[in-house]
Amino acid sequence: MEFRWEDGALRRDGEAVALTERGFWGREAAFEVDGVRWTLRTERDALVAAGEDGGALRLDDRRLWPARRSLATALGELDLVRTTSLFGALCFDLEHEGERIGRIAPHGPWRYRPGLDADRPLDPALVAFLLWAASRIDGRRITRVPAGGGMSAQGG
């Protein structure tokens, strides 16, 4: 299954499965799946999604192991594992019980929006949250070392 962003919608194999609100790629955002509105926000140590129907997702920022982040889902615990492509783009593997079930990588004309290729069916709300989270993580990564030797993070 291919999940991509196009014209304000998350599309699964070309069919719209979630609609995003304006400013979706920012610190706080919202989207709708099957009539349920989800809000997304950045907390100090986590990325969080809350559905109006009581659904919730939380991706914690694990400082001791920042390349691997876990979240509880209906499928069980999933791991979002940071990887890097041949060209230096920040990518992620989505794992369930140690098995890769999907891959998040940049897509689009300028390759700045993440897309997900999944090996099994996934809930559109979960996918929307994961893609938003991937864009937030990518926006915070260290991208250069200035002449003074200190490090800086890319804003997003």
Side-chain angles (χ1 to χ4, degrees), residues 1-3 12-13 73-78 94-103 116-124 126-127:
M1 294 182 172
E2 221 179 59
F3 290 91
R12 178 180 51 213
D13 297 329
T73 70
L75 293 172
E77 187 148 313
L78 295 179
L94 183 61
E95 296 180 357
H96 179 248
E97 298 178 353
E99 175 189 350
R100 187 173 98 174
I101 62 169
R103 178 161 171 75
L116 171 67
D117 293 319
D119 298 336
R120 62 175 71 168
L122 295 173
D123 178 63
L126 171 64
V127 173

Short mmCIF file of all heavy atoms in Angstrom, two decimals, residues 1-3 12-13 73-78 94-103 116-124 126-127:
data_model
loop_
_atom_site.label_atom_id
_atom_site.label_comp_id
_atom_site.label_asym_id
_atom_site.label_seq_id
_atom_site.Cartn_x
_atom_site.Cartn_y
_atom_site.Cartn_z
N MET A 1 0.83 -1.18 0.00
CA MET A 1 0.00 0.00 0.00
C MET A 1 0.88 1.23 0.00
O MET A 1 1.85 1.29 0.71
CB MET A 1 -0.88 0.04 1.23
CG MET A 1 -1.88 -1.02 1.31
SD MET A 1 -2.85 -0.78 2.79
CE MET A 1 -4.02 -2.02 2.43
N GLU A 2 0.44 2.19 -0.77
CA GLU A 2 1.16 3.44 -0.90
C GLU A 2 0.33 4.57 -0.29
O GLU A 2 -0.81 4.78 -0.69
CB GLU A 2 1.34 3.72 -2.38
CG GLU A 2 2.67 4.25 -2.75
CD GLU A 2 2.73 4.46 -4.26
OE1 GLU A 2 1.91 5.23 -4.79
OE2 GLU A 2 3.60 3.85 -4.88
N PHE A 3 0.89 5.27 0.70
CA PHE A 3 0.23 6.43 1.30
C PHE A 3 1.01 7.66 0.90
O PHE A 3 2.20 7.76 1.16
CB PHE A 3 0.21 6.31 2.83
CG PHE A 3 -0.70 5.24 3.35
CD1 PHE A 3 -0.23 3.96 3.56
CD2 PHE A 3 -2.03 5.52 3.63
CE1 PHE A 3 -1.06 2.96 4.05
CE2 PHE A 3 -2.87 4.53 4.12
CZ PHE A 3 -2.38 3.25 4.33
N ARG A 12 -4.45 6.64 -0.03
CA ARG A 12 -3.98 5.26 0.01
C ARG A 12 -4.21 4.69 -1.37
O ARG A 12 -5.34 4.58 -1.83
CB ARG A 12 -4.75 4.45 1.06
CG ARG A 12 -4.34 2.99 1.11
CD ARG A 12 -5.10 2.20 2.14
NE ARG A 12 -6.53 2.40 1.97
CZ ARG A 12 -7.41 2.40 2.97
NH1 ARG A 12 -7.02 2.21 4.21
NH2 ARG A 12 -8.68 2.59 2.73
N ASP A 13 -3.12 4.37 -2.06
CA ASP A 13 -3.20 3.85 -3.42
C ASP A 13 -4.09 4.72 -4.31
O ASP A 13 -4.90 4.23 -5.09
CB ASP A 13 -3.67 2.40 -3.43
CG ASP A 13 -2.70 1.47 -2.70
OD1 ASP A 13 -1.50 1.75 -2.71
OD2 ASP A 13 -3.16 0.47 -2.11
N THR A 73 -0.43 0.74 19.60
CA THR A 73 -1.50 0.84 18.62
C THR A 73 -2.41 -0.37 18.74
O THR A 73 -2.13 -1.29 19.51
CB THR A 73 -0.95 0.88 17.18
OG1 THR A 73 -0.42 -0.41 16.86
CG2 THR A 73 0.14 1.92 17.02
N ALA A 74 -3.46 -0.41 17.95
CA ALA A 74 -4.36 -1.57 17.91
C ALA A 74 -3.63 -2.82 17.41
O ALA A 74 -4.00 -3.94 17.74
CB ALA A 74 -5.56 -1.27 17.02
N LEU A 75 -2.57 -2.63 16.63
CA LEU A 75 -1.77 -3.76 16.14
C LEU A 75 -0.82 -4.28 17.21
O LEU A 75 -0.21 -5.33 17.05
CB LEU A 75 -0.89 -3.32 14.95
CG LEU A 75 -1.57 -2.95 13.66
CD1 LEU A 75 -0.55 -2.38 12.69
CD2 LEU A 75 -2.22 -4.18 13.06
N GLY A 76 -0.64 -3.54 18.28
CA GLY A 76 0.38 -3.82 19.27
C GLY A 76 1.40 -2.71 19.22
O GLY A 76 1.17 -1.66 18.61
N GLU A 77 2.55 -2.92 19.82
CA GLU A 77 3.57 -1.88 19.82
C GLU A 77 4.26 -1.82 18.46
O GLU A 77 4.66 -2.84 17.91
CB GLU A 77 4.60 -2.15 20.91
CG GLU A 77 5.57 -0.99 21.02
CD GLU A 77 6.08 -0.79 22.42
OE1 GLU A 77 5.27 -0.79 23.35
OE2 GLU A 77 7.30 -0.62 22.56
N LEU A 78 4.38 -0.60 17.95
CA LEU A 78 5.10 -0.34 16.71
C LEU A 78 6.34 0.48 17.03
O LEU A 78 6.32 1.29 17.96
CB LEU A 78 4.24 0.43 15.71
CG LEU A 78 3.00 -0.26 15.18
CD1 LEU A 78 2.25 0.66 14.21
CD2 LEU A 78 3.35 -1.57 14.49
N LEU A 94 9.14 1.28 9.69
CA LEU A 94 8.07 1.01 10.64
C LEU A 94 8.13 -0.47 10.94
O LEU A 94 8.04 -1.30 10.02
CB LEU A 94 6.71 1.40 10.04
CG LEU A 94 5.50 1.24 10.94
CD1 LEU A 94 5.63 2.11 12.20
CD2 LEU A 94 4.23 1.58 10.18
N GLU A 95 8.33 -0.83 12.21
CA GLU A 95 8.51 -2.22 12.59
C GLU A 95 7.43 -2.67 13.57
O GLU A 95 6.98 -1.91 14.41
CB GLU A 95 9.88 -2.43 13.24
CG GLU A 95 11.04 -2.17 12.31
CD GLU A 95 12.40 -2.39 12.96
OE1 GLU A 95 12.45 -2.70 14.17
OE2 GLU A 95 13.41 -2.25 12.25
N HIS A 96 7.06 -3.93 13.44
CA HIS A 96 6.13 -4.59 14.35
C HIS A 96 6.78 -5.92 14.75
O HIS A 96 7.07 -6.75 13.89
CB HIS A 96 4.78 -4.83 13.67
CG HIS A 96 3.79 -5.53 14.52
ND1 HIS A 96 3.37 -6.81 14.26
CD2 HIS A 96 3.14 -5.14 15.64
CE1 HIS A 96 2.49 -7.18 15.17
NE2 HIS A 96 2.34 -6.18 16.02
N GLU A 97 7.04 -6.07 16.05
CA GLU A 97 7.68 -7.28 16.57
C GLU A 97 8.98 -7.61 15.83
O GLU A 97 9.24 -8.74 15.48
CB GLU A 97 6.72 -8.46 16.55
CG GLU A 97 5.50 -8.25 17.42
CD GLU A 97 4.50 -9.39 17.37
OE1 GLU A 97 4.66 -10.32 16.55
OE2 GLU A 97 3.56 -9.34 18.18
N GLY A 98 9.78 -6.58 15.57
CA GLY A 98 11.07 -6.75 14.93
C GLY A 98 11.05 -6.91 13.42
O GLY A 98 12.09 -6.97 12.78
N GLU A 99 9.87 -6.96 12.82
CA GLU A 99 9.74 -7.12 11.37
C GLU A 99 9.35 -5.79 10.74
O GLU A 99 8.44 -5.10 11.21
CB GLU A 99 8.64 -8.15 11.07
CG GLU A 99 8.33 -8.30 9.60
CD GLU A 99 7.08 -9.15 9.35
OE1 GLU A 99 6.58 -9.79 10.28
OE2 GLU A 99 6.63 -9.16 8.21
N ARG A 100 10.05 -5.42 9.68
CA ARG A 100 9.71 -4.18 8.97
C ARG A 100 8.40 -4.38 8.23
O ARG A 100 8.26 -5.30 7.44
CB ARG A 100 10.81 -3.79 8.00
CG ARG A 100 10.53 -2.41 7.38
CD ARG A 100 11.66 -1.94 6.56
NE ARG A 100 11.34 -2.26 5.18
CZ ARG A 100 12.05 -1.89 4.15
NH1 ARG A 100 13.17 -1.23 4.31
NH2 ARG A 100 11.68 -2.19 2.93
N ILE A 101 7.43 -3.47 8.52
CA ILE A 101 6.12 -3.56 7.85
C ILE A 101 5.87 -2.34 6.95
O ILE A 101 4.85 -2.27 6.29
CB ILE A 101 4.97 -3.73 8.85
CG1 ILE A 101 4.87 -2.53 9.80
CG2 ILE A 101 5.13 -5.03 9.63
CD1 ILE A 101 3.61 -2.51 10.64
N GLY A 102 6.79 -1.39 6.96
CA GLY A 102 6.64 -0.21 6.13
C GLY A 102 7.88 0.64 6.16
O GLY A 102 8.77 0.45 6.98
N ARG A 103 7.91 1.59 5.21
CA ARG A 103 9.05 2.50 5.12
C ARG A 103 8.52 3.89 4.80
O ARG A 103 7.72 4.07 3.89
CB ARG A 103 9.99 2.04 4.02
CG ARG A 103 11.18 2.95 3.82
CD ARG A 103 12.30 2.24 3.08
NE ARG A 103 13.36 3.14 2.69
CZ ARG A 103 14.27 3.64 3.50
NH1 ARG A 103 14.24 3.35 4.77
NH2 ARG A 103 15.21 4.44 3.06
N LEU A 116 4.47 6.87 2.88
CA LEU A 116 4.66 5.56 3.51
C LEU A 116 4.31 4.47 2.53
O LEU A 116 3.25 4.50 1.91
CB LEU A 116 3.78 5.44 4.76
CG LEU A 116 3.69 4.06 5.42
CD1 LEU A 116 5.02 3.64 6.02
CD2 LEU A 116 2.61 4.05 6.48
N ASP A 117 5.21 3.51 2.37
CA ASP A 117 4.93 2.28 1.64
C ASP A 117 4.78 1.19 2.69
O ASP A 117 5.73 0.90 3.43
CB ASP A 117 6.07 1.95 0.67
CG ASP A 117 6.18 2.95 -0.46
OD1 ASP A 117 5.12 3.36 -0.98
OD2 ASP A 117 7.29 3.33 -0.82
N ALA A 118 3.58 0.61 2.78
CA ALA A 118 3.28 -0.38 3.83
C ALA A 118 3.09 -1.77 3.24
O ALA A 118 2.53 -1.91 2.16
CB ALA A 118 2.02 0.04 4.58
N ASP A 119 3.56 -2.75 3.96
CA ASP A 119 3.44 -4.15 3.55
C ASP A 119 2.14 -4.78 4.02
O ASP A 119 1.84 -5.91 3.64
CB ASP A 119 4.61 -4.98 4.11
CG ASP A 119 5.95 -4.51 3.58
OD1 ASP A 119 5.98 -3.89 2.49
OD2 ASP A 119 6.96 -4.75 4.25
N ARG A 120 1.38 -4.08 4.86
CA ARG A 120 0.10 -4.59 5.36
C ARG A 120 -0.86 -3.44 5.58
O ARG A 120 -0.43 -2.29 5.64
CB ARG A 120 0.29 -5.39 6.65
CG ARG A 120 0.86 -4.59 7.78
CD ARG A 120 0.93 -5.37 9.08
NE ARG A 120 1.95 -6.38 9.01
CZ ARG A 120 2.39 -7.06 10.05
NH1 ARG A 120 1.88 -6.84 11.23
NH2 ARG A 120 3.32 -7.96 9.91
N PRO A 121 -2.15 -3.72 5.69
CA PRO A 121 -3.13 -2.65 5.90
C PRO A 121 -2.86 -1.91 7.22
O PRO A 121 -2.57 -2.53 8.24
CB PRO A 121 -4.47 -3.38 5.96
CG PRO A 121 -4.22 -4.69 5.30
CD PRO A 121 -2.79 -5.04 5.56
N LEU A 122 -2.94 -0.59 7.16
CA LEU A 122 -2.76 0.25 8.35
C LEU A 122 -3.89 1.26 8.42
O LEU A 122 -4.39 1.73 7.40
CB LEU A 122 -1.42 0.99 8.28
CG LEU A 122 -0.16 0.14 8.33
CD1 LEU A 122 1.07 1.00 8.07
CD2 LEU A 122 -0.03 -0.57 9.67
N ASP A 123 -4.28 1.60 9.64
CA ASP A 123 -5.34 2.57 9.87
C ASP A 123 -4.90 3.95 9.35
O ASP A 123 -3.79 4.40 9.66
CB ASP A 123 -5.62 2.64 11.37
CG ASP A 123 -6.67 3.67 11.70
OD1 ASP A 123 -7.81 3.51 11.24
OD2 ASP A 123 -6.33 4.66 12.40
N PRO A 124 -5.73 4.62 8.56
CA PRO A 124 -5.36 5.93 8.02
C PRO A 124 -5.02 6.97 9.09
O PRO A 124 -4.14 7.80 8.89
CB PRO A 124 -6.58 6.36 7.21
CG PRO A 124 -7.26 5.09 6.86
CD PRO A 124 -7.01 4.16 8.01
N LEU A 126 -3.59 6.37 11.99
CA LEU A 126 -2.24 6.03 12.41
C LEU A 126 -1.22 6.51 11.39
O LEU A 126 -0.20 7.11 11.74
CB LEU A 126 -2.10 4.51 12.62
CG LEU A 126 -0.69 3.99 12.86
CD1 LEU A 126 -0.12 4.55 14.16
CD2 LEU A 126 -0.67 2.48 12.85
N VAL A 127 -1.49 6.29 10.12
CA VAL A 127 -0.56 6.71 9.06
C VAL A 127 -0.43 8.22 9.03
O VAL A 127 0.69 8.75 8.94
CB VAL A 127 -1.00 6.16 7.69
CG1 VAL A 127 -0.13 6.73 6.57
CG2 VAL A 127 -0.94 4.64 7.68
#
